[in-house]
């Protein structure tokens, strides 16, 4: 579907009108989508409540929003067990590339040859299946960030980051060794968690960042106390991430100063930790801090961060777990930044269906060479499964559909529609909609307080919109890649209904 | 299939005869299994070599043993892309419960309703699907260790352990607080990785243990230097795991003394760390140290360990990632130990297809109550996916088949056959087969050196047996649950051919 075809439905006048009459025929990316949301019961409804109570007997289930009917959910619409139909702009915490029950993905499952891929899960580092290199090539490598020729698959976002950190540590130590062989003391000491085999190396992260919840990456996560409270943490450097004033064009100077302040902190932390012998092997950063509140930073900030990181001999690890896979209108959000050189690592998961990371060739090479006595020994970045072929099989189809249906163009068009609409709302309801920001459909705004934000999310649900919060006061919009400008209209229409009813404190 | 029926094929005389003529009709647990292994080319063969070279261009692939034809692999037989057919007693590092292409699992994939489960991966903590509590009940809860009423699903073994540790930390801190509310200082300090919000708590682990490779659990892994070298590690307590002399009946006194020595170390480490304020919140241990060399310990050791752990107010975390799921003849290996009370946590993955952990009710309850100001707040043990319903769907069928086909009885019979055969080999070839040990089909022996062990693994492959090493000098046997006494015959037959040709150094 070309952009021009989409544009016929995205005239300004349509923005706040009633739901379009021709809704059904417009959403032809996925046949069978309803014409709009419909809410029949309070949410969670009686059936959901019953199931939550049931689940609560075997695990803590009070986080459950509602039970979902995944047979009836379709495209951009999530259907709950009480029959409520919601336009989903949260999409399982931004992890559904093509929405629900995409027909092309169903076809993948119906192919008998493919079915075997789902029941014969290999240990990919030992016994990969026939066709695995080709499958990696047509899927992950076909959308690799420029300059990235290497990919390692993992199961989820946390372990993708954990393993990128580990590869950075090995690479850094190898540089430090300068070709000297591993000593017996290194081998024996690491078994007892002490130097010299266990290194005092660190990863620098940013306030507000989120990189996962296993104990290593949790030390680089700083978005909410609830994620970290009571858990031991590593003493690793933490710098400030820019916090901009909006609208950007009005605060250009202040925001540039903010960049400089944060970059100066990065330099200081490098110096402080390197001087103390706690060498900074890597810097991890999200292109947009998502969980932490959709905090954006300028291309110039990222360009300069790359320069400082390189100058200090560390690896730049760009965490695209939430931003990757197309929602910003490019496969990788950091492509918007025009970095002078490729990042050292780009990690992914969520919309990519498989976890993993891209890396520059030197990281594969140096990890291996680190074992001087057995240069071909591997097993350093390794685990039982190393990801899963069935995820890559599905991803392969997702990427084919993205290309075939020009979904990145659709994201750009829908994103423009969303952003224009949100900007308009921020003018009409400035007390509730502040600091509108976004790239593609990866959009957010701030409310006046956590309570107001939660109220908006709750009232949107009553109007048939599933959204989600992030940070302290932000609401994030994370639709699937099949979210069209027409869907943005529906969202904005319902959103305004909510805003009209929210009281100013 | 009842044991009596199996026993007709497991007479002693069959042990070292030629491959049984009636091979095909015996292996009727999975139709279509070949009558035995057949090797046509060196392994890896020419096609595998080509594919390894291809894969090496996009990732480090030198760990690959061969490329596998997962369409042709069936039951206990793995078929490589060069047409070699191997009896698989390694089963993807012990992660295949029912071997390859089990017909009942294929049927799960052929059901259109089930197919949707594979393409609509939910965020299980927010939007679980209809029927999820029932599916957990019929699968995971139906085989829960005695006393365990709570289960939390995860994606893999590492994150199962990571999250069990985190739950133990929260629980321990909550006990320390004694009902006092969370302070603002705790909330703000944890965001910067410092006390009091970030705790100095520790997890005690054992030399030779393996609990995964993400940075937190890697600090409790002590099986091979290659896993740990260059990676920062937490200063956590490490005690010795018993190393027994075999045969056990000859060294009963020495081995009891070994238990006492190791348990004394546990007590010492508790005292040392608790005194230093680095409170030990949990003790993690495998029922059999698998990756570390199949090190077994006595039921008495585990019983006493539980007593000491409880006395010190810590949680006992039993890591059944490799031992769980039936290979020891019970669902959970630690059931062989007759612990006085349930373990606090039992973690799993691999043969269970989904990762996760069972825990006692107090851990769910106390995690929640820890947030005094919002007693119902969750999100503490949480991530985007929290495991995956499609894995539980497959596990549900696996458990049904285990029960229907009496696979635990088969494991017991096949295990006896294997152990008898290995003991016999250790008498005939004492220079190559030492310290035979096992529970169910979870068997191993030591060779005289790492080189000899590697040579045996390689030569077994030439004879059509896929096995694997562990520890420094051990060879582990990890067949699927559909491995019958008849398959043990084939293994032992080929094994003896290999032993005859191995030279004594």
């Amino acid at each position: 579907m070309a952009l021009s075809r989409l544009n016929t439905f995205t005239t300004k006048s349509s923005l706040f009108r009633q739901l379009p009459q021709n809704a059904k025929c417009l959403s032809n990316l996925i046949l069978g989508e309803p014409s709009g949301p419909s809410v029949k019961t309070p949410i969670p409804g009686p059936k959901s409540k019953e199931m939550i109570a049931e689940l609560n007997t075997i695990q803590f289930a009070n986080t459950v929003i509602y039970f979902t009917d995944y047979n009836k959910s379709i495209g951009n619409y999530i259907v709950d067990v009480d029959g409520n139909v919601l336009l989903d702009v949260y999409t399982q915490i931004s992890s559904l590339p093509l929405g629900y029950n995409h027909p092309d993905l169903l076809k993948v499952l119906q192919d008998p040859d493919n079915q075997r891929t789902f029941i014969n899960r290999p240990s990919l580092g030992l016994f990969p299946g026939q066709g695995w290199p080709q499958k990696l090539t047509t899927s992950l490598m076909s959308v690799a960030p420029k300059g990235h020729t290497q990919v390692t698959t993992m199961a989820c976002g946390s372990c993708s980051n954990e393993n990128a950190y580990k590869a950075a540590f090995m690479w850094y130590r190898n540089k430090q060794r300068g070709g000297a062989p591993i000593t017996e003391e290194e081998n024996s000491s690491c078994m007892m968690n002490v130097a010299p085999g266990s290194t005092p190396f660190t990863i620098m992260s940013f306030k507000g960042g989120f990189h996962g919840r296993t104990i290593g990456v949790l030390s680089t996560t700083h978005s909410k106390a609830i994620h970290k409270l009571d858990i031991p943490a590593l003493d690793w450097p933490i710098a400030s991430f820019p916090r901009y004033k909006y609208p950007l064009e009005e605060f250009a100077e202040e925001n540039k100063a903010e960049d400089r302040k944060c970059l100066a902190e990065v330099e200081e932390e490098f110096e402080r930790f390197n001087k103390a012998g706690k060498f900074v092997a890597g810097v991890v950063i999200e292109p947009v801090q998502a969980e932490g509140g959709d905090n954006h930073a300028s291309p110039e900030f990222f360009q300069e961060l790359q320069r400082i990181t390189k100058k200090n001999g560390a690896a730049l690890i760009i965490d695209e777990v939430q931003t990757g896979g197309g929602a910003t209108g490019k496969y990788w959000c950091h492509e918007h930044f025009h970095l002078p050189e490729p990042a050292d690592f780009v990690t992914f998961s969520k919309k990519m269906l498989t976890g993993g990371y891209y890396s520059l060739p030197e990281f594969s090479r140096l990890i291996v060479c680190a074992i001087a006595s057995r240069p071909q020994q591997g097993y350093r970045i390794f685990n039982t499964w190393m990801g899963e072929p069935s995820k890559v099989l599905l991803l392969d189809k997702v990427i084919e559909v993205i290309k075939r249906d020009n979904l990145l163009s659709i994201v750009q068009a829908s994103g423009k529609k969303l952003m224009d609409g949100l900007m308009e709302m921020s003018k009409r309801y400035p007390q509730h909609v502040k600091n509108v920001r976004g790239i593609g459909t990866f959009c957010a705004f701030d409310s006046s307080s956590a309570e107001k934000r939660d109220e908006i999310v709750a009232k949107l649900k009553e109007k048939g919109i599933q959204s989600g919060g992030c940070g302290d006061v932000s609401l994030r919009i994370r639709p699937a890649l099949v979210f069209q400008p027409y869907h943005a209209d529906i969202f904005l229409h319902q959103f305004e209904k909510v805003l009209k009813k929210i009281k100013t404190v």
Side-chain angles (χ1 to χ4, degrees), chain A:
Chain A
M1 175 172 286
L3 255 181
S4 59
R5 192 158 138 223
L6 286 162
N7 283 341
T8 57
F9 312 121
T10 57
T11 59
K12 273 195 178 170
S13 64
S14 72
L15 200 56
F16 304 112
R17 67 185 179 190
Q18 289 300 304
L19 290 188
Q21 292 303 305
N22 55 348
K24 208 153 188 174
C25 68
L26 294 189
S27 66
N28 55 2
L29 277 175
I30 299 181
L31 286 174
E33 268 199 341
S35 58
S38 73
V39 176
K40 300 170 181 176
T41 76
I43 300 176
K47 284 188 190 166
S48 271
K49 279 187 175 165
E50 208 173 283
M51 292 177 193
I52 291 170
E54 197 179 352
L55 186 58
N56 248 326
T57 63
I58 50 176
Q59 61 183 216
F60 177 72
N62 287 8
T63 54
V64 170
I65 297 175
Y66 45 79
F67 273 72
T68 302
D69 186 333
Y70 287 105
N71 286 338
K72 290 192 183 143
S73 299
I74 179 80
N76 294 281
Y77 290 91
I78 185 169
V79 180
D80 77 6
V81 291
D82 290 283
N84 299 301
V85 179
L86 292 92
L87 179 66
D88 192 354
V89 298
Y90 192 43
T91 56
Q92 311 292 332
I93 320 182
S94 201
S95 68
L96 287 183
L98 304 182
Y100 300 97
N101 286 309
H102 195 284
D104 287 287
L105 293 184
L106 265 180
K107 272 183 214 147
V108 171
L109 262 290
Q110 286 155 1
D111 179 326
D113 268 357
N114 291 342
Q115 287 167 0
R116 294 173 186 270
T117 302
F118 289 82
I119 62 164
N120 296 300
R121 187 174 187 179
S123 178
L124 274 170
L126 301 177
F127 307 100
Q130 187 156 30
W132 178 237
Q134 290 81 350
K135 204 49 101 183
L136 286 175
T137 302
T138 58
S139 63
L140 286 165
M141 295 318 297
S142 82
V143 297
K146 205 177 155 189
H148 281 272
T149 59
Q150 304 286 303
V151 74
T152 301
T153 51
M154 288 284 157
C156 71
S158 285
C159 64
S160 303
N161 284 326
E162 290 268 352
N163 281 282
Y165 296 3
K166 285 172 62 176
F169 291 135
M170 293 173 197
W171 163 81
Y172 195 91
R173 181 75 180 115
N174 196 56
K175 288 196 301 174
Q176 240 186 13
R177 278 192 192 100
I182 313 286
T183 65
E184 187 38 50
E185 194 193 355
E186 284 181 285
N187 273 328
S188 58
S189 58
C190 75
M191 295 289 271
M192 295 302 287
N193 292 6
V194 295
S198 300
T199 62
F201 295 169
T202 63
I203 298 287
M204 194 186 302
S205 56
F206 290 85
K207 289 175 196 168
F210 182 93
H211 303 287
R213 289 167 170 258
T214 47
I215 293 168
V217 294
L218 189 62
S219 283
T220 60
T221 284
H222 316 280
S223 45
K224 293 197 186 83
I226 198 79
H227 304 153
K228 292 172 70 74
L229 191 67
D230 301 345
I231 315 298
L234 291 150
D235 175 27
W236 286 358
I238 308 164
S240 292
F241 189 90
R243 292 297 185 112
Y244 291 155
K245 290 184 177 161
Y246 289 84
L248 293 178
E249 52 280 14
E250 270 181 43
F251 296 96
E253 275 315 305
E254 286 90 336
N255 293 337
K256 269 188 193 165
E258 176 72 2
D259 278 359
R260 282 193 299 273
K261 191 202 82 179
C262 295
L263 291 165
E265 272 187 41
V266 170
E267 300 249 35
E268 283 159 26
E269 291 297 293
F270 262 119
E271 203 186 332
R272 193 160 73 88
F273 275 77
N274 285 347
K275 251 190 189 161
K278 304 185 70 168
F279 300 102
V280 183
V283 174
V284 66
I285 194 162
E286 299 155 274
V288 178
Q289 287 190 331
E291 188 68 27
D294 269 33
N295 308 315
H296 291 249
S298 68
E300 295 74 25
F301 172 82
F302 283 96
Q303 292 160 13
E304 185 61 10
L305 178 67
Q306 183 174 53
R307 195 191 61 75
I308 297 169
T309 303
K310 205 173 181 71
K311 187 182 77 180
N312 283 281
L316 182 61
I317 303 165
I318 300 203
D319 176 345
E320 293 252 23
V321 167
Q322 186 153 166
T323 48
T328 68
K330 293 184 185 281
Y331 275 107
W332 306 105
C333 183
H334 79 276
E335 294 178 302
H336 290 281
F337 303 154
H338 304 292
L339 297 180
E341 297 175 70
D344 296 292
F345 293 90
V346 177
T347 65
F348 53 81
S349 188
K350 287 194 185 255
K351 277 197 182 61
M352 298 302 283
L353 306 183
T354 174
Y357 62 82
Y358 297 105
S359 58
L360 298 183
E362 64 188 292
F363 293 93
S364 299
R365 212 164 44 231
L366 290 176
I367 289 164
V368 181
C369 295
I371 309 296
S373 57
R374 294 181 68 176
Q376 289 309 304
Q377 184 155 1
Y379 303 113
R380 299 198 75 189
I381 298 293
F382 193 86
N383 58 50
T384 297
W385 285 318
M386 296 291 288
E388 186 172 4
S390 64
K391 301 298 180 201
V392 175
L393 188 67
L394 289 170
L395 174 66
D396 196 41
K397 180 58 75 177
V398 165
I399 290 172
E400 184 191 318
V401 170
I402 290 175
K403 291 173 180 170
R404 181 193 72 197
D405 292 352
N406 281 318
L407 294 186
L408 296 188
S409 299
I410 290 180
V411 166
Q412 288 158 19
S414 302
K416 186 173 184 322
K417 189 88 193 221
L418 275 174
M419 282 296 289
D420 288 350
L422 290 171
M423 293 303 284
E424 183 67 29
M425 299 294 181
S426 73
K427 284 177 200 152
R428 297 194 198 186
Y429 309 91
Q431 66 279 41
H432 298 311
V433 182
K434 304 164 200 281
N435 305 334
V436 171
R437 56 214 184 260
I439 314 180
T441 56
F442 201 99
C443 304
F445 64 88
D446 291 345
S447 180
S448 55
S449 68
E451 292 68 30
K452 281 289 157 196
R453 186 267 315 273
D454 292 349
E455 189 184 343
I456 294 173
V457 170
K459 288 217 155 71
L460 274 170
K461 215 155 38 186
E462 289 171 15
K463 296 290 177 200
I465 307 287
Q466 179 62 55
S467 65
C470 64
D472 294 328
V473 298
S474 306
L475 187 149
R476 60 180 149 177
I477 298 168
R478 296 287 181 275
L481 307 178
V482 292
F483 183 86
Q484 296 168 252
Y486 149 74
H487 297 104
D489 274 348
I490 297 173
F491 166 77
L492 291 164
H493 182 80
Q494 301 300 85
F495 185 36
E496 186 163 35
K497 282 191 200 165
V498 167
L499 290 173
K500 278 179 180 161
K501 293 202 173 169
I502 297 273
K503 284 186 189 135
T504 310
V505 187

